[in-house]
Structures are given as C-alpha cells and as structure tokens.
Amino acid sequence: MVDPAEKLEPAYGEDWTAHADKIDEKLIENFMNTDRGTFWYTDQDRTNESTYCYWPQAHAMDVLIDAYLRIPEGDARRSTYAGYMSKWYDNKGNNYGNSYWGTYGFGNAYTDDSEWIILTLIRMYEATGVQKYLDAARKTYEETVIARWTEDENGGGIRWSFDAENSKNACSNGPGALCAMRLWANSPEGAERDQYLADAKKIYNWLSSTLYNPLTGAVSDNMKNGVINGGALTYNQGTFMGAAHELYKATGDAKYMTDAARAARYTMKSMVTNGVLNNEGSGDNALFKGIFVRYAMNVWKDASVDKADAGLRREIEEFLIYNGLVCWRDGVDKSEGSKWFFGGFWGEPGSSWDGRLNEQVSASTMIEAMALLIE
C-alpha cells in the first residue's frame, strides 16, 4: 500500500471533473460510432475489428452512464448520452454470432458477455427509468445466464459458454451473482425477487467454496473437470468482491464483507507494481483493471461497510486515488495532436497511433471514479 502522506496530496490539486469530461470526449471521438451508439475495438475502426467486440460494449457504455449520472440536470450532454443508450439498445450492443440469441437479442454463446450486457442494461434503467432496458435484462438473465447452471463434477456453477459444459469460470459466476443481485434490487417484493436472491446465494456459495482462497483472498480462474486452474486476475477479484458486497447489503451478514475485504486487499497488495495495478496483458485482459475499479468504488460509496470493516473504505480510497493520479499524469500523452490513447500499464503512455478500446475504457473508468473520489 502507498503512503498517502507522500503520494496522494498532488491529486487534490487537479480538476477531476474537467479531466473526466475530457476523457469521455476522447472516448466518444476516437472509439464510438455515434450513429449506432456502439464502440469500435480500435480507434475509428482502423482495422475493421468491431465485429467481435461485444462484452467491452457494456463497459464503454458504463463510462458514459457514469458521466450521465455525474453531469448536472440541464446539461445538454445528458440528453445526448441518453440518446446513445437508446441507440446502443436498438443495435443490441453490437452483439455478434449467427443470430441474436434470446427474446431481446442480447444473449450470446459466451455467458459472461451476456452478463456484462445485462448489468449495463440495468444501469441504463436505473439512470433513465426506461422500462424496456430492465425487461431485456430480466429475460436475458433467464435465458442465457441462470439457465446455464449445471450440476456436474465441478459441484455446480454457471458454465463459461454455451458449449463449455465442464468449464465453470470465475468470469461467468461472479458476474452471474451480480446480475441476480442487481435484478433483486430492482424488483418488487414477491416470489421473483426472492428467487433472484436465492440464485445469487447459490452462485456465490459455489464460487466462494471452489475458486476463492479465504486464506489469501485470491480468486482462481476456473474449474474444469473438477480441477482448479489459473491464477488471480483483477476481473475476477473485482466481480467476486462486488458480488460479496451486494449480498452484504441485502442480508447484513458480515461474512460477505469479510470475503470482499480479503479479495480487495489481495488485489491492492499483491497485484500491483509500485502501488499501481499491473499490466495484465492486451486484448480482453486490458479491460480487467477497470472492472476492479468499478466494484471497489461501489464498496467505497457504501458507508454501511464501516460496520463490518472499519478500515476498508479508506484503504480503497487511498489506493484508487493514487492509481488515478498515476493514470492521469503518466498514463496518457496529452501533447498537442495526441489522440490521448492509454495503454495496458498506467505508469506510461499508450501508443501515439494504435488505440484500443479495452485499454481506453479501463483508464476512463478510473478517471470517472476520480471525479467522485475528489469532488
């Protein structure tokens, strides 16, 4: 952990609202097809790589939802961003495959892809009140998430993809529990709401009893044919922490926050280079840090966490502020003529010519978080 007295003071001299506005502007300018409300995998579709870009669509739209919620009433950008959400919905979040899956067309062979889209649909509903977003989220969860829970030699769990029957992954179960909890939070009292909570507990219990190490807080990647594989990734740490936190909020059971705190502290202490979240690679992996940031922010925003762990929110705050400061000051070339591309490690600027959506979204998520951390 970094020493806040040494490292954090410069962050309070920055205008993070202005910085977030600028980063959002660059995300839209360089990576968004504004006619469709969807995003290109590379800047302005330079290499025609938007076809196989589905799950990042959710996280890119989440950045604009962050902005929508932050921007004051009366600002024209709120209407613009709400319009982008509507277009994103109409174009199925850039879903791909032989056909759109499910009643609303947001289902996908990869379970985690559908789960991220569901979570963003729910956030769009919470932000705007448009009912069809929530309706689509509910049905897609029913058709392509909880339907993929199977009992097998892994002891249960949601399969990673439609075809990967024996691969039960942290990336399909952590977000699956999150989907169930966010649907629970947006449902009226009754049997359906009760079932969402039961689903979340079932998924979480499997995840915590198999892939989670309670001694360290690390979450392994998957279990296949009864064998645990793969090490910790910020994606899985973030979604495990997020699911545990949601269950804590719903039940008041401190055991969930104990798990969440261990996962958070493992990430902040063991998945860093000089206090900055590691470069976990390119491609899908480049988006992982942003996932941890989002769910760490949810913990930070919840004052009730202090009842279960008095120090966690402060530790998260200091960790994120330091990462945000490094990301802003060292992680992007802001010189005249630069396109402001971020890279996989926030301690150095991204390419001056090769922009990638996943790297950009992780950093944009971090800078939007800073606008809340330091108001």
Side-chain angles (χ1 to χ4, degrees):
M1 303 293 286
V2 298
D3 178 356
E6 285 187 24
K7 306 282 189 176
L8 303 188
E9 186 175 349
Y12 291 88
E14 300 279 356
D15 184 345
W16 292 104
T17 296
H19 295 344
D21 288 344
K22 185 67 173 181
I23 292 301
D24 299 338
E25 174 190 317
K26 291 297 182 180
L27 178 65
I28 293 168
E29 176 185 320
N30 291 318
F31 293 95
M32 190 180 207
N33 182 339
T34 55
D35 291 335
R36 292 175 52 84
T38 58
F39 298 84
W40 290 302
Y41 184 70
T42 56
D43 58 290
Q44 288 295 316
D45 210 14
R46 225 172 359 90
T47 54
N48 194 30
E49 292 182 3
S50 64
T51 303
Y52 297 102
C53 180
Y54 189 40
W55 79 281
Q57 301 289 331
H59 299 277
M61 182 53 70
D62 275 337
V63 172
L64 296 193
I65 297 171
D66 292 341
Y68 178 90
L69 295 171
R70 174 177 55 79
I71 293 167
E73 293 284 352
D75 190 308
R77 288 174 296 173
R78 284 177 61 87
S79 177
T80 299
Y81 292 171
Y84 290 151
M85 294 181 214
S86 180
K87 292 177 182 178
W88 186 94
Y89 174 89
D90 290 342
N91 288 292
K92 313 300 182 188
N94 199 51
N95 201 355
Y96 60 86
N98 294 329
S99 62
Y100 297 143
W101 290 33
T103 303
Y104 286 86
F106 290 100
N108 192 271
Y110 290 96
T111 308
D112 53 318
D113 285 28
S114 294
E115 289 166 344
W116 287 118
I117 297 297
I118 289 165
L119 289 167
T120 297
L121 286 166
I122 295 169
R123 290 196 74 215
M124 285 164 51
Y125 165 75
E126 291 172 338
T128 67
V130 176
Q131 183 64 39
K132 65 183 179 181
Y133 301 154
L134 183 60
D135 293 342
R138 284 186 176 133
K139 195 65 176 177
T140 306
Y141 170 82
E142 174 190 327
E143 293 174 337
T144 64
V145 178
I146 199 60
R148 294 181 186 174
W149 173 281
T150 59
E151 301 288 346
D152 56 18
E153 64 271 29
N154 299 305
I158 296 175
R159 64 177 67 172
W160 172 47
S161 74
F162 181 76
D163 299 321
E165 186 171 348
N166 293 319
S167 186
K168 305 299 181 63
N169 293 39
C171 73
S172 52
N173 285 274
L178 281 166
C179 287
M181 286 310 302
R182 296 315 305 151
L183 289 168
W184 175 85
N186 285 283
S187 298
E189 295 288 344
E192 184 178 44
R193 189 173 195 251
D194 293 343
Q195 187 60 55
Y196 288 137
L197 183 58
D199 287 352
K201 288 180 176 179
K202 178 174 74 169
I203 298 165
Y204 181 83
N205 288 342
W206 178 86
L207 182 58
S208 63
S209 65
T210 54
L211 301 183
Y212 168 64
N213 183 338
L215 298 178
T216 65
V219 181
S220 296
D221 188 68
N222 69 84
M223 177 181 276
K224 187 173 183 179
N225 299 322
V227 177
I228 294 175
N229 308 286
L233 297 165
T234 50
Y235 176 129
N236 298 332
Q237 296 296 126
T239 55
F240 179 84
M241 172 183 62
H245 173 234
E246 290 288 340
L247 282 161
Y248 167 73
K249 287 196 300 179
T251 67
D253 191 334
K255 73 178 183 182
Y256 292 117
M257 274 314 303
T258 297
D259 288 349
R262 286 174 178 160
R265 290 186 172 116
Y266 178 86
T267 309
M268 295 188 292
K269 293 178 180 180
S270 301
M271 303 182 73
V272 296
T273 301
N274 296 325
V276 179
L277 286 165
N278 288 336
N279 181 355
E280 292 176 279
S282 59
D284 284 348
N285 292 45
L287 188 41
F288 292 1
K289 289 194 293 293
I291 293 171
F292 176 79
V293 169
R294 181 163 303 283
Y295 290 99
M297 281 294 293
N298 285 354
V299 173
W300 175 79
K301 288 184 284 188
D302 182 5
S304 75
V305 168
D306 292 342
K307 298 176 184 177
D309 190 312
L312 180 62
R313 291 172 65 233
R314 182 62 179 174
E315 290 174 35
I316 287 174
E317 178 179 304
E318 293 171 356
F319 178 80
L320 292 181
I321 288 175
Y322 179 63
N323 272 262
L325 179 63
V326 171
C327 181
W328 174 256
R329 290 201 166 179
D330 301 333
V332 63
D333 175 5
K334 298 185 282 287
S335 63
E336 185 176 354
S338 168
K339 291 189 175 182
W340 292 53
F341 294 146
F342 289 90
F345 179 58
W346 292 341
E348 56 190 33
S351 167
S352 61
W353 62 275
D354 182 13
R356 302 282 170 169
L357 179 65
N358 289 350
E359 286 87 342
Q360 201 74 15
V361 169
S362 263
S364 298
T365 302
M366 182 71 260
I367 302 305
E368 273 291 344
M370 291 294 283
L372 296 181
L373 288 160
I374 304 177
E375 293 186 86

